[in-house]
Amino acid sequence: MIFNRSKSMPDDVPATLDLDRIPKHVAMIMDGNGRWAKKRGMPRIAGHQRGMEVVKTVAKASAEVGVEVLTLYAFSTENWKRPEDEVGFLMKLPGRFFDTFIPELKANNIRVEIIGDITGVPTDTQRVVLDAVAQTADNTGMVLNFALNYGSRAEIVTGVQEIATAVAQGELAVDDITENTVSQHLMTRQLGALADPDLLIRTGGEERLSNFLLWQSAYAEFVFTDVLWPDLTADIFFDNLITYQNRDRRFGGLVENKSNQK
């Protein structure tokens, strides 16, 4: 099916992508940087360097078609187990990324947010990411949300501890604890109604969540692709969005008339 296109929509967006049914929140596990480099006889850090450019491509592609939140799994709590030189490079990568991309973020009205325990990363890295958040704070378009030193189980444990403390202090009754209560004690609460992803994409051929947005992804659609992150293009990303649009999202119920889905 070919959809009517906005006159201002760039020509590189496929006509089969329905701009009225774009997922509001897309989450991505950026996997395959190391394998991409190994296939080319290059050090793993070369894959991460290339992957940084793909982040820019996907961010701009998301913004131009109307994605409202793009959450990227930049560094997990488990990634500290990697070789020291690789971890050191990854900690310096935000500085290189934002140094070149902040002007484009401003030009595209994209706002940067961070989830994760950034107190656990080097001071220089903290400064860089917080500066990016500050520099883009007035932007009103898409949120580019980086999960940095993030682990979903740790996030949930911290949230439960906060709720338990509120109960112990008499600020909250046990019977008043709801799903919304839990959501309001997770790191994604700053995203409000957009906290839960509609679509979760993982590149690199693996089919697991790897401790990423476990609570928030309860009703997300999953797309797993064999494409390694450094090989991802805007066209492939748009194809993933089309795959999402071809799904029936029932949220545990039934859809009587598919033509009425949004």
Side-chain angles (χ1 to χ4, degrees):
M1 181 179 294
I2 307 298
F3 298 97
N4 293 328
R5 318 306 289 172
S6 166
K7 291 181 179 179
S8 61
M9 185 56 57
D11 293 336
D12 60 346
V13 176
T16 49
L17 182 63
D18 184 353
L19 300 180
D20 293 324
R21 297 181 58 233
I22 297 295
K24 293 182 179 180
H25 183 171
V26 177
M28 303 188 75
I29 300 175
M30 305 179 290
D31 196 13
N33 289 343
R35 281 172 285 158
W36 181 89
K38 184 177 179 180
K39 285 172 60 176
R40 290 160 176 78
M42 303 165 70
R44 290 176 57 85
I45 60 174
H48 296 307
Q49 182 71 36
R50 169 58 189 161
M52 182 182 73
E53 298 304 319
V54 176
V55 169
K56 298 176 182 180
T57 297
V58 172
K60 290 186 286 188
S62 297
E64 72 180 6
V65 298
V67 173
E68 296 182 44
V69 177
L70 176 65
T71 298
L72 301 178
Y73 205 7
F75 191 89
S76 76
T77 50
E78 291 75 29
N79 286 156
W80 294 106
K81 302 173 185 176
R82 294 186 177 188
E84 186 176 346
D85 60 339
E86 182 176 352
V87 170
F89 181 84
L90 289 170
M91 287 297 105
K92 291 182 174 62
L93 207 54
R96 301 183 184 188
F97 175 81
F98 288 122
D99 184 54
T100 58
F101 200 43
I102 285 290
E104 290 188 73
L105 290 172
K106 291 181 176 180
N108 286 277
N109 198 29
I110 296 172
R111 177 163 57 91
V112 175
E113 292 284 357
I114 305 292
I115 59 173
D117 180 15
I118 65 168
T119 63
V121 304
T123 303
D124 287 347
T125 306
Q126 293 182 43
R127 178 184 54 77
V128 165
V129 297
L130 292 176
D131 183 60
V133 171
Q135 287 198 57
T136 61
D138 293 334
N139 292 350
T140 59
M142 188 187 78
V143 173
L144 179 56
N145 186 39
F146 288 98
L148 180 64
N149 197 28
Y150 172 87
S152 189
R153 285 187 172 185
E155 172 192 34
I156 293 170
V157 168
T158 299
V160 170
Q161 290 172 337
E162 292 175 357
I163 293 170
T165 298
V167 171
Q169 294 177 347
E171 300 170 358
L172 179 67
V174 171
D175 290 343
D176 291 334
I177 297 173
T178 64
E179 289 186 9
N180 185 60
T181 307
V182 177
S183 294
Q184 287 302 309
H185 285 82
L186 299 179
M187 294 176 179
T188 47
R189 61 184 174 270
Q190 63 198 27
L191 300 173
L194 299 175
D196 297 346
D198 301 298
L199 169 63
L200 190 149
I201 301 169
R202 179 170 187 151
T203 61
E206 304 291 352
E207 298 184 4
R208 57 178 177 268
L209 290 179
S210 297
N211 201 18
F212 182 52
L213 299 179
L214 301 180
W215 173 276
Q216 297 91 332
S217 297
Y219 282 102
E221 293 294 324
F222 296 167
V223 172
F224 298 108
T225 174
D226 291 334
V227 176
L228 302 177
W229 178 259
D231 288 328
L232 194 73
T233 63
D235 286 341
I236 295 172
F237 175 71
F238 292 144
D239 285 343
N240 293 160
L241 299 188
I242 292 170
T243 297
Y244 163 85
Q245 293 180 345
N246 288 331
R247 303 275 180 87
D248 292 335
R249 301 193 75 204
R250 297 184 296 275
F251 300 97
L254 296 176
V255 178
E256 298 296 335
N257 186 349
K258 185 174 179 179
S259 65
N260 290 331
Q261 294 181 67
K262 291 294 182 185

